[in-house]
Amino acid sequence: MNHPTRTSPLSRLRGLLRGNTRQYGMAIALVAVIILFQVLTGGLLLTPLNITNLIMQNSYILILAIGMMLVIITGHIDLSVGSVVAFTGAVSAIMLTAWGLPTFVVVPVALLLGALIGAWQGFWIAYVGVPAFIVTLAGMLIFRGATLAVLGGESIAPLPQSLRVIASGFLPGQTDGLHLPTLALGAAGAAAIVWIQWRTRARSLARDLPVPSAAATAAGSVVVVAAIMAFTYALADHNGLPLVGVLLIALIAGYAFVMRSTTMGRRVYAVGGSERAAALSGIRTKRTTFWVFVNMGVLSALAGLVFTARLNAATPGAGTMFELDAIAAAFIGGASAAGGVGSVIGAVIGALFMGVLNNGMSLIGLGVDWQQFIKGLVLLLAVAFDIYNKRRVSGSAPILLGLRTRTRKGSGRDAPTRDAP
């Protein structure tokens, strides 16, 4: 009688780590770069004031990175997001100053404008079949030119306080001592993450999937709680959690849920994995691609509002290179150039990694030339690691796995098969 083979906890943990090498690797790299710059800056990096600045300075890149991750998962790219940020910010500034519209009217109008821009580009990509690279490259030029035309080559400033509070305001609460609402929000967030960790572990066990031991999961939960509470304590010791931080928490939680637990998220992954197979399984691939670009347009408009509010001005050069920062964050955070791979949390980790890298290099006085060089090298290494890891895990490198390529009879392509013993 055959008995099922039991795997040891160590073997299960190794299998889990092998399947998530990129995700865990980048999280460890983020912690490492934080420790490095904390030492190099003499403790300046993790001061409450600098942590607040990190959130505010990188908020719009984090927003763009979430949308860009979805675009890349579907196997496309969007080069126009920086120009859309500038255009929607310029139009919003005109509506607020020249037209005198209130902020609660301008914000939804700006988001609708972003949705229309995304729909315009999504139509050409999904239904006409023009490559996303070409469509969004054209969009980058079109909306940069439209920004210059709308602003007349000049900046519009200052902007109303009702808009600026989006990027510079803080969670309301007491002003003396520690900001208790921030601590309470941090505790609630830590509890929610720990609950999700254990719930995910229970589901994996029920499906006989590899999971870490209960002790390892408990240790991970302790680390998560400690990190979140230390982070929120630092914020509470300053002015509390910025309002844009509350916005980011809502976006990250919402999009992570959509991509992990809804039909829409599974469709996005399916389209990126194999558009033809997704279509044969009944997924409306064109509609999915279309709505991904609509979503990118809305998030670009939101980033435009946040950036314009933080700058307190709409300028012709706003959003320059934002698309490259968002793309870099997505790839560093685990996206695959082939599509079908990536996560919202990964995009957040990638954006934070780039943000800490930028901030740390600025604090130690590193020149812009070296900063650009290092960021480019990090992006190249991240994508190279993705390719290496994919070959190692999936066994797509015949030389490494002792496979040789044969052509199967009746098939039109080479397929790797094992040599006969």
Side-chain angles (χ1 to χ4, degrees):
M1 180 176 178
N2 294 328
H3 295 281
T5 304
R6 292 184 178 272
T7 57
S8 66
L10 183 60
S11 299
R12 287 192 169 196
L13 181 59
R14 286 175 178 171
L16 184 69
L17 292 175
R18 277 199 299 269
N20 298 274
T21 304
R22 184 71 179 278
Q23 180 181 346
Y24 293 129
M26 286 315 304
I28 294 171
L30 175 60
V31 173
V33 78
I34 289 174
I35 294 173
L36 173 65
F37 283 114
Q38 176 71 356
V39 173
L40 293 179
T41 60
L44 290 177
L45 183 72
L46 295 181
T47 58
L49 176 60
N50 195 59
I51 291 175
T52 302
N53 288 335
L54 270 171
I55 296 174
M56 292 181 170
Q57 289 171 0
N58 294 282
S59 56
Y60 34 88
I61 299 300
L62 280 161
I63 294 170
L64 292 174
I66 292 171
M68 189 64 72
M69 179 63 85
L70 270 64
V71 170
I72 293 175
I73 287 174
T74 59
H76 298 289
I77 202 76
D78 192 339
L79 302 177
S80 68
V81 294
S83 297
V84 177
V85 164
F87 180 64
T88 53
V91 172
S92 300
I94 289 174
M95 288 191 290
L96 287 165
T97 56
W99 298 359
L101 295 177
T103 300
F104 69 84
V105 172
V106 171
V107 169
V109 170
L111 297 179
L112 177 60
L113 177 60
L116 292 174
I117 292 171
W120 163 259
Q121 298 191 133
F123 168 78
W124 288 100
I125 296 166
Y127 295 104
V128 179
V130 181
F133 181 89
I134 300 301
V135 173
T136 57
L137 178 60
M140 179 176 71
L141 301 174
I142 291 170
F143 296 111
R144 182 61 63 182
T147 303
L148 294 171
V150 166
L151 294 177
E154 299 179 352
S155 299
I156 296 178
L159 299 176
Q161 174 63 19
S162 56
L163 180 70
R164 284 185 282 134
V165 72
I166 296 175
S168 58
F170 292 87
L171 197 67
Q174 86 282 357
T175 56
D176 297 329
L178 291 175
H179 192 261
L180 296 181
T182 297
L183 290 175
L185 189 61
I193 292 175
V194 169
W195 179 78
I196 291 171
Q197 283 181 331
W198 285 93
R199 185 166 176 261
T200 302
R201 183 180 185 276
R203 286 184 172 181
S204 298
L205 279 175
R207 298 171 183 173
D208 200 26
L209 296 175
V211 295
S213 64
T217 304
S221 298
V222 170
V223 171
V224 168
V225 171
I228 292 177
M229 294 312 298
F231 176 74
T232 52
Y233 180 86
L235 292 176
D237 195 34
H238 184 48
N239 288 324
L241 181 65
L243 289 179
V244 72
V246 178
L247 174 64
L248 288 171
I249 291 171
L251 287 174
I252 293 168
Y255 277 89
F257 174 77
V258 168
M259 294 302 292
R260 288 172 62 97
S261 305
T262 68
T263 302
M264 180 62 190
R266 289 190 287 271
R267 286 173 180 170
V268 171
Y269 281 110
V271 170
S274 173
E275 186 171 358
R276 184 178 179 185
L280 291 174
S281 66
I283 295 175
R284 297 181 179 180
T285 58
K286 293 181 179 179
R287 188 170 71 173
T288 300
T289 300
F290 174 81
W291 284 110
V292 164
F293 277 92
V294 172
N295 175 75
M296 185 75 255
V298 172
L299 291 181
S300 297
L302 180 59
L305 287 168
V306 172
F307 180 74
T308 303
R310 175 165 174 77
L311 199 61
N312 193 23
T315 63
T320 302
M321 301 291 286
F322 280 15
E323 58 276 348
L324 298 186
D325 287 337
I327 292 169
F331 279 121
I332 290 172
S336 171
V341 177
S343 68
V344 172
I345 300 301
V348 173
I349 291 174
L352 289 176
F353 183 91
M354 294 297 291
V356 171
L357 196 63
N358 286 331
N359 184 262
M361 290 190 294
S362 297
L363 287 176
I364 64 176
L366 205 61
V368 177
D369 49 353
W370 279 104
Q371 290 188 32
Q372 297 294 333
F373 175 84
I374 292 173
K375 287 195 293 184
L377 186 61
V378 167
L379 176 60
L380 178 62
L381 291 176
V383 177
F385 181 71
D386 172 62
I387 294 172
Y388 164 77
N389 186 56
K390 196 180 303 179
R391 287 177 176 173
R392 183 179 63 84
V393 173
S394 65
S396 59
I399 295 177
L400 295 177
L401 297 180
L403 304 179
R404 67 184 179 88
T405 302
R406 295 176 182 171
T407 303
R408 292 179 181 171
K409 189 177 294 185
S411 68
R413 60 181 181 179
D414 291 338
T417 58
R418 288 193 181 276
D419 289 331

